[in-house]
Amino acid sequence: MKYTFCMLFFCFLFVGCSDDSTNNPVDNSGEVRGNLIPLSIYNYWVYRYESYRGGVLVQSRLDTLRFDSTVTVQNNTWFGAKDRKFADHFYQNRDTGFWEYDGSGTSIWFKYPVETGQTWMSYSGTIRCELHNEYLQVPAGTFSGCVRYRQSDVYAYSIHKIKPGVGILYQEQADSATGVCIKSVYRLSDYHVIP
């Protein structure tokens, strides 16, 4: 059930950045400073969503994610999206990565900083960093320095490609438990991020 939630939540959560963006502060090394996924009620991300069943495209549309609510728990602010199916889940960046709060407890979702090959347990299962310096092209632009995370089990997997300081650029998930592969892909097409 929690793995299904992870897949559904990240159907909506994608963030992007551009190497020449003026919205993101850059230090002398050329790296964007900030959190793994920047959380602010003013930030939004627009994704090109495509759904496939048995390799055939069955749906294509634009989807927008906007964090529009907060909750304070033990003096910590968590961000949520009240118009989403899982409106009772909130998210926060910490020194160790991107965390989730579901009303009963917290769990790390994506570790950061992270090294290639590093694995950890999330409430939804084992997550692995497959690559921590990936080059990626999506409709919103071309990006370098992205981190690729993968979560998988016997029948399903999800891949998230994140640009630290900006967010998720690409997500792919597939499930073949029914015998037919159902696959969803999100590619960032536009965004507005306040660091």
Side-chain angles (χ1 to χ4, degrees), residues 41-111:
I41 59 171
Y42 303 106
N43 294 349
Y44 66 85
W45 303 267
V46 180
Y47 297 91
R48 167 59 61 194
Y49 165 77
E50 295 174 340
S51 177
Y52 300 86
R53 184 173 177 85
V56 176
L57 179 65
V58 293
Q59 186 177 25
S60 178
R61 69 173 190 268
L62 291 178
D63 194 9
T64 300
L65 171 69
R66 182 183 308 266
F67 286 99
D68 55 11
S69 61
T70 61
V71 64
T72 302
V73 178
Q74 297 177 350
N75 295 323
N76 290 301
T77 301
W78 296 79
F79 292 84
K82 21 182 199 188
D83 64 335
R84 297 295 181 193
K85 182 175 181 179
F86 299 101
D88 58 341
H89 290 255
F90 291 84
Y91 305 90
Q92 179 185 83
N93 287 291
R94 294 183 178 177
D95 291 343
T96 54
F98 187 72
W99 286 72
E100 176 184 20
Y101 170 71
D102 67 0
S104 64
T106 63
S107 177
I108 190 165
W109 203 308
F110 298 116
K111 280 193 174 186

Side-chain angles (χ1 to χ4, degrees), residues 22-188:
T22 58
N23 289 337
N24 301 311
V26 177
D27 65 21
N28 292 335
S29 70
E31 289 298 314
V32 177
R33 295 187 311 262
N35 298 312
L36 184 61
I37 299 172
L39 299 173
S40 168
I41 59 171
Y42 303 106
N43 294 349
Y44 66 85
W45 303 267
V46 180
Y47 297 91
R48 167 59 61 194
Y49 165 77
E50 295 174 340
S51 177
Y52 300 86
R53 184 173 177 85
V56 176
L57 179 65
V58 293
Q59 186 177 25
S60 178
R61 69 173 190 268
L62 291 178
D63 194 9
T64 300
L65 171 69
R66 182 183 308 266
F67 286 99
D68 55 11
S69 61
T70 61
V71 64
T72 302
V73 178
Q74 297 177 350
N75 295 323
N76 290 301
T77 301
W78 296 79
F79 292 84
K82 21 182 199 188
D83 64 335
R84 297 295 181 193
K85 182 175 181 179
F86 299 101
D88 58 341
H89 290 255
F90 291 84
Y91 305 90
Q92 179 185 83
N93 287 291
R94 294 183 178 177
D95 291 343
T96 54
F98 187 72
W99 286 72
E100 176 184 20
Y101 170 71
D102 67 0
S104 64
T106 63
S107 177
I108 190 165
W109 203 308
F110 298 116
K111 280 193 174 186
Y112 187 78
V114 66
E115 294 296 325
T116 299
Q118 189 174 359
T119 61
W120 61 95
M121 289 300 296
S122 173
Y123 78 93
S124 59
T126 302
I127 299 177
R128 180 176 193 266
C129 173
E130 289 190 323
L131 189 61
H132 77 279
N133 194 16
E134 184 170 9
Y135 178 85
L136 184 63
Q137 190 168 5
V138 293
T142 302
F143 309 94
S144 62
C146 301
V147 182
R148 182 182 345 141
Y149 298 94
R150 181 182 186 94
Q151 180 178 0
S152 58
D153 63 23
V154 176
Y155 297 107
Y157 72 86
S158 63
I159 296 171
H160 300 87
K161 297 179 181 185
I162 302 175
K163 173 67 175 179
V166 180
I168 300 171
L169 303 175
Y170 175 90
Q171 181 202 341
E172 177 180 321
Q173 61 189 37
D175 190 330
S176 59
T178 62
V180 176
C181 183
I182 299 170
K183 180 177 173 179
S184 299
V185 176
Y186 286 80
R187 291 177 182 90
L188 184 69

Side-chain angles (χ1 to χ4, degrees), residues 1-9 86 89 91 100 123:
M1 175 67 178
K2 290 201 178 209
Y3 183 78
T4 302
F5 167 74
C6 289
M7 292 179 64
L8 291 173
F9 170 77
F86 299 101
H89 290 255
Y91 305 90
E100 176 184 20
Y123 78 93

